[in-house]
C-alpha cells in the first residue's frame, strides 16, 4: 500500500486504499505507484488547510520568517535536485538533462519569491487629513487550491507554491495524475523545512474525480490553475457559485513573426527550437510561424530540413534532442489535429506521423511536423495541438503581420524577428500577448511576470504580481482625533 497523500502534516493512503500506476511515455513501463485520493480525502485536505489558516499558525509569521522558510526549501531542493529531476524525467519521458534544467528553474522560482517577501509590503496613503493615518496592508488571501499540468510538472506547481508560502496562505496542491512524483518530493521537502502542520497538503488523482471539491468548496478562497482552456472554462464556471478568486494560466497558439530583414539564420534556428522543444508540449511554443512572403521558401525549406533531422529518444538517450508525447490519448489528439489540418488544405512538408523506429515502438513518439499553406481560418492555426506541429502562414506588410499575429483567441506569447529595431518595437507593442520576444523566442525569468491576454488566462504568475495573487489588500483608516460625524440632525 502506498501512502503518498500529505494531509494535515501526515503521509497517508487513500481512504479506500486506492492507488494507480504511473507509466513512462517512453516505453510504458511502470515508474511509480501513487495513492489516488477519494472525495473524503479531498475534504480532509481542505479542512486541514482551512483550520491551519484560521488558527493563525502560519499567518502570524512575519513576511521575513516566511521568506526564510521558502529560502530553506530552495536549499533543500538544490540538495535533492538530481533525484527529483530523475523522477520528473521518468514521469514525463523528457531527457534527464532537460529535467535538470527545469529543476534549476524551480529553485530560481523559490529564491525569487524568498527575496520578494523581504521587500516592504503595504503603503501609507495621504488622505489629506492631519488627524488620520491611512495604511494599505497586504494580508494572506486564505486557502488556495493549486492545480498543475504535466508538461513542466514541478515548475508550474512551484510558480504557485512559492508565492503562496511567502504570502502565508494554506493550500492543497494537485499535480497532474500523469506526473505526480516531483510534487510528492516537493511536499517532503516542505515538511522537512518546518512548515506548520496543515498549511501544505497534497492530493493526487484525476481532476475529474478530485477536482470538483477543490473548486466548489466554500472554504477555498482561491483557485490557481495551469492547464488547458476547456478545463479552465469548467473551473471558471464552477467557481462562480462561491465567487472565488481565480488565477488561470491556459493555452496558447503563439505567433512567431519573421521579417525579411531579420538575421535569418538565427531566426530559423530559434523557430525550430520554439516549435519542437519538448516536442511542442510547451504552452508558449512558437508553433504558428508567420513569415514574410519573399523569404518563405528559404526559411521553410531550412526549417523542414532541420525538423527532419531532430533525434527523438527517451530519458537516458544522450543523443536524443527531444522526447515522446505524454500519453496515448495525447498522441491520438495530435494525430487527429494534423489529419484535420491536411483535410482543411494545409500542405504536409515533413513528419505527420508516429515515429516508426523500433526503439520507439512502445512509446508515444510523434515526428516533428510542418504544415504549410495555412491561414487564420483553419482549425490547425486557431487551436493548440500541444504537440510538435508548426503551421506556416505568409504576410506581405507590417500591418498584415500584426493583424495575423493577433487573429487568435489566445494571447500568451509571441516573437518578432527584424533588424529594424523601430519596426520590431512597433510590432511588439501592437501584439496582444502576455510576453513578446524580439529577436529571440522562449526565455523567461522568475523576476518578470508571466501570463496571458484574452483566453490564455487571468492574472499573472512570477514577478511581483505573482505574489500579489495570494494577498488580500486591506485599507485601514485610523482617526487619531475622533469627533462626531455631524451628518444627521440630533
Ligand atoms: P489539463 O487541463 O488537462 O489538466 C491540468 C490539470 O487540471 C491536471 O492536474 C488535471 O488533473 C486537472 N483537472 C482536469 N479536469 C479538472 C477539473 N474538472 N477540475 C479540477 N481540475 C481538473 O491540462 P494538461 O493537459 O495537464 O496541460 C496542458 C495544457 O496546459 C495546455 O493547454 C497548455 O497550454 C497549458 N499550460 C499553460 C501554461 C501557462 O503558463 N499558460 C503552462 C503550462 C501548460
Amino acid at each position: 500500500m502506498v501512502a503518498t497523500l500529505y494531509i494535515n502534516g501526515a503521509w497517508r493512503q487513500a481512504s479506500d486504499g486506492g492507488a494507480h500506476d504511473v507509466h513512462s511515455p517512453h516505453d510504458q513501463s511502470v515508474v511509480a505507484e501513487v495513492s489516488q485520493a477519494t472525495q473524503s480525502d479531498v475534504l480532509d485536505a481542505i479542512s486541514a488547510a482551512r483550520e491551519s489558516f484560521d488558527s493563525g499558525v502560519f499567518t502570524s509569521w512575519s513576511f521575513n520568517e516566511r521568506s526564510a522558510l521558502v529560502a530553506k526549501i530552495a536549499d533543500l531542493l538544490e540538495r535533492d535536485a538530481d533525484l527529483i529531476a530523475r523522477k520528473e524525467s521518468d514521469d514525463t519521458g523528457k531527457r534527464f538533462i532537460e529535467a535538470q534544467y527545469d529543476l534549476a528553474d524551480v529553485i530560481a522560482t523559490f529564491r525569487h519569491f524568498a527575496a520578494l517577501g523581504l521587500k516592504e509590503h503595504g503603503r501609507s496613503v495621504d488622505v489629506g487629513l492631519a488627524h488620520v493615518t491611512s495604511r494599505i496592508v497586504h494580508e494572506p488571501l486564505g486557502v488556495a487550491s493549486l492545480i498543475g499540468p504535466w508538461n513542466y510538472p514541478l515548475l508550474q506547481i512551484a510558480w504557485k507554491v512559492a508565492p503562496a508560502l511567502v504570502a502565508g496562505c494554506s493550500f492543497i496542491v494537485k499535480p497532474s495524475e500523469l506526473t505526480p512524483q516531483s510534487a510528492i518530493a516537493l511536499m517532503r521537502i516542505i515538511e522537512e523545512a518546518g512548515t506548520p502542520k496543515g498549511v501544505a497538503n497534497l492530493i493526487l488523482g484525476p481532476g475529474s474525480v478530485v477536482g470538483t471539491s477543490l473548486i466548489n468548496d466554500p472554504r477555498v478562497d482561491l483557485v490557481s490553475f495551469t492547464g488547458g482552456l476547456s478545463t479552465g472554462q469548467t473551473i471558471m464556471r464552477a467557481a462562480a457559485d462561491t465567487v472565488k478568486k481565480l488565477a488561470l494560466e491556459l493555452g496558447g497558439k503563439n505567433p512567431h513573426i519573421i521579417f525579411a530583414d531579420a538575421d535569418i539564420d538565427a531566426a530559423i534556428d530559434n523557430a525550430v527550437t520554439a516549435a519542437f522543444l519538448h516536442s511542442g508540449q510547451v504552452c508558449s511554443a512558437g508553433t504558428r510561424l508567420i513569415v514574410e512572403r519573399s523569404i518563405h521558401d528559404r526559411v521553410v525549406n531550412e526549417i523542414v530540413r532541420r525538423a527532419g533531422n531532430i533525434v527523438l529518444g527517451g530519458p537516458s538517450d544522450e543523443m536524443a534532442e527531444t522526447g515522446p508525447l505524454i500519453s496515448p490519448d495525447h498522441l491520438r489528439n495530435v494525430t487527429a489535429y494534423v489529419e484535420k489540418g491536411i483535410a482543411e488544405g494545409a500542405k504536409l512538408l515533413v513528419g505527420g506521423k508516429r515515429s516508426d523506429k523500433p526503439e520507439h515502438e512502445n512509446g508515444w513518439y510523434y515526428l516533428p511536423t510542418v504544415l504549410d499553406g495555412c491561414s487564420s481560418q483553419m482549425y490547425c492555426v486557431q487551436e493548440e495541438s500541444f504537440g510538435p506541429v508548426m503551421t506556416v502562414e505568409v504576410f506581405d506588410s507590417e500591418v498584415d503581420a500584426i493583424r495575423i499575429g493577433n487573429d487568435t483567441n489566445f494571447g500568451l506569447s509571441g516573437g518578432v524577428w527584424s533588424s529594424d529595431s523601430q519596426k520590431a518595437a512597433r510590432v511588439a507593442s501592437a501584439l496582444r500577448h502576455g510576453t513578446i520576444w524580439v529577436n529571440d523566442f522562449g526565455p523567461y525569468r522568475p523576476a518578470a511576470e508571466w501570463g496571458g491576454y484574452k483566453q490564455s488566462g487571468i492574472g499573472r504568475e512570477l514577478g511581483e504580481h505573482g505574489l500579489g495573487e495570494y494577498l488580500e489588500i486591506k485599507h485601514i483608516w485610523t482617526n487619531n482625533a475622533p469627533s462626531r460625524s455631524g451628518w444627521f440632525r440630533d
Side-chain angles (χ1 to χ4, degrees), residues 309-459:
N309 287 341
I310 291 175
V311 179
L312 305 182
S316 38
D317 181 345
E318 294 198 350
M319 293 310 292
E321 295 171 295
T322 188
L325 299 180
I326 190 70
S327 66
D329 282 350
H330 193 39
L331 177 65
R332 267 190 295 279
N333 289 342
V334 172
T335 305
Y337 178 98
V338 171
E339 282 167 2
K340 193 161 179 173
I342 295 167
E344 281 177 307
K347 189 171 165 202
L348 176 68
L349 298 184
V350 67
K353 59 180 176 147
R354 201 174 166 171
S355 165
D356 51 16
K357 293 217 162 108
E359 63 270 30
H360 298 155
E361 196 183 352
N362 294 321
W364 317 122
Y365 287 92
Y366 194 84
L367 297 176
T369 296
V370 177
L371 294 175
D372 197 9
C374 296
S375 64
S376 291
Q377 296 73 38
M378 291 175 161
Y379 175 90
C380 65
V381 169
Q382 287 301 328
E383 299 300 323
E384 184 186 37
S385 77
F386 219 54
V389 185
M390 176 192 281
T391 57
V392 183
E393 296 159 87
V394 289
F395 68 90
D396 294 302
S397 67
E398 184 181 324
V399 170
D400 209 17
I402 293 167
R403 181 187 54 76
I404 297 171
N406 281 335
D407 191 2
T408 164
N409 289 330
F410 289 116
L412 188 59
S413 69
V416 51
W417 288 80
S418 169
S419 56
D420 176 341
S421 57
Q422 290 190 356
K423 178 165 71 179
R426 280 194 303 272
V427 176
S429 155
L431 287 174
R432 294 192 39 79
H433 300 265
T435 296
I436 300 293
W437 292 285
V438 176
N439 295 328
D440 213 330
F441 204 102
Y444 81 96
R445 290 290 182 275
E449 275 74 5
W450 179 265
Y453 283 35
K454 302 197 264 182
Q455 293 182 27
S456 286
I458 297 176

Side-chain angles (χ1 to χ4, degrees), residues 233-251:
Q233 289 166 329
T234 303
I235 287 175
M236 207 166 164
R237 280 185 208 105
D241 284 346
T242 48
V243 194
K244 281 190 177 38
K245 187 174 173 197
L246 289 176
L248 302 176
E249 293 288 345
L250 308 176

Side-chain angles (χ1 to χ4, degrees), residues 77-97:
L77 282 165
E78 215 150 62
R79 179 195 69 190
D80 293 352
D82 279 359
L83 285 170
I84 304 174
R86 180 63 66 196
K87 289 177 192 297
E88 191 139 301
S89 166
D90 284 348
D91 283 3
T92 59
K94 71 173 71 170
R95 294 173 307 147
F96 178 54
I97 191 166

Side-chain angles (χ1 to χ4, degrees), residues 147-151 156 159 174-177 205-208 211-212 215 225-229 231 234-235 249-252 282-283 384 386 412 450 456 461:
I147 303 174
W150 47 259
N151 61 333
Q156 299 302 319
W159 289 11
K174 199 212 82 67
S176 168
E177 58 277 24
S208 53
T212 310
I215 318 300
F225 167 79
T226 301
L229 172 60
T231 316
T234 303
I235 287 175
E249 293 288 345
L250 308 176
V282 181
C283 53
E384 184 186 37
F386 219 54
L412 188 59
W450 179 265
S456 286
E461 297 198 292

Side-chain angles (χ1 to χ4, degrees), residues 27-61:
D27 59 8
Q28 301 182 52
S29 59
V30 174
V31 293
E33 186 192 17
V34 299
S35 313
Q36 183 157 313
T38 62
Q39 178 66 7
S40 96
D41 296 323
V42 179
L43 295 178
D44 284 354
I46 295 172
S47 300
R50 188 75 251 170
E51 282 160 26
S52 75
F53 187 81
D54 293 343
S55 74
V57 65
F58 195 44
T59 55
S60 58
W61 291 28

